[in-house]
C-alpha cells in the first residue's frame, strides 16, 4: 500500500493568521483509524507556525501538486508611513527700526555682533 507524504487536498489543510503568527495545520485524510487507542506513526497531522513582521497580511493560498504557496503582502498603514512636511516660505519683511533710527538686523546673534567688536 503506497502512502502519500503530504496533503493533496485543500480540505486537509487549514491556514490561520492571528496578529503576527501564521499557522498552517494539516491532517492527511486516510484510512479510518476507529478502534485504535493510539495512532502513533500513522498520525499524519502537522502544525507549522511562522512569525510574520508587523502589518503583513495573508492574501491567499494555493495547493498545486502537493506544494502549498501562501501569498503575503506587507501593508504599512497610511498614518505610519513617512510624510514630507512642507515649510512655507515667509515673505520678505522690512527690518525693524529702533527709536534712534538704526536698523536692527534679523537673524542669529553672534558674540561679535552683540558686542559690536571685531577681531
Amino acid at each position: 500500500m503506497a502512502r502519500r507524504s503530504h496533503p493533496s487536498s485543500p480540505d486537509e489543510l487549514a491556514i490561520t493568521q492571528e496578529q503576527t503568527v501564521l499557522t498552517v495545520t494539516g491532517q492527511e485524510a486516510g484510512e479510518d483509524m476507529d478502534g485504535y487507542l493510539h495512532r502513533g506513526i500513522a498520525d499524519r497531522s502537522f502544525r507549522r507556525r511562522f512569525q510574520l513582521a508587523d502589518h503583513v497580511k495573508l492574501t491567499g493560498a494555493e495547493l498545486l501538486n502537493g506544494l502549498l504557496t501562501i501569498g503575503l503582502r506587507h501593508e504599512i498603514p497610511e498614518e505610519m508611513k513617512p510624510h514630507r512636511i512642507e515649510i512655507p516660505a515667509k515673505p520678505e519683511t522690512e527690518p525693524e527700526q529702533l527709536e534712534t533710527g538704526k536698523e536692527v538686523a534679523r537673524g542669529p546673534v553672534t558674540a561679535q555682533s552683540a558686542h559690536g567688536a571685531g577681531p
Side-chain angles (χ1 to χ4, degrees):
M1 172 191 227
R3 300 230 5 143
R4 297 185 322 245
S5 61
H6 54 77
S8 62
S9 166
D11 296 336
E12 299 171 359
L13 292 170
I15 302 170
T16 58
Q17 181 181 7
E18 293 181 40
Q19 296 179 4
T20 60
V21 177
L22 179 71
T23 305
V24 179
T25 34
Q27 177 67 44
E28 184 177 331
E31 59 191 74
D32 186 14
M33 298 298 280
D34 287 342
Y36 286 85
L37 296 176
H38 180 67
R39 294 176 79 171
I41 204 162
D43 185 6
R44 296 290 186 161
S45 64
F46 67 90
R47 175 178 294 187
R48 302 290 185 269
R49 291 184 182 196
F50 303 92
Q51 184 68 43
L52 303 175
D54 291 336
H55 312 294
V56 171
K57 306 290 182 209
L58 178 67
T59 60
E62 178 183 33
L63 181 64
L64 183 62
N65 297 326
L67 179 65
L68 177 63
T69 304
I70 299 174
L72 302 171
R73 174 171 283 143
H74 190 213
E75 295 178 352
I76 299 175
E78 192 64 35
E79 61 271 6
M80 294 185 75
K81 291 181 181 177
H83 296 283
R84 182 180 173 97
I85 299 173
E86 296 295 325
I87 302 171
K90 293 187 178 186
E92 295 281 331
T93 59
E94 294 293 322
E96 294 179 14
Q97 297 288 325
L98 291 177
E99 292 179 18
T100 61
K102 293 184 180 178
E103 292 183 0
V104 175
R106 292 185 180 245
V109 176
T110 62
Q112 291 179 350
S113 65
H115 297 293

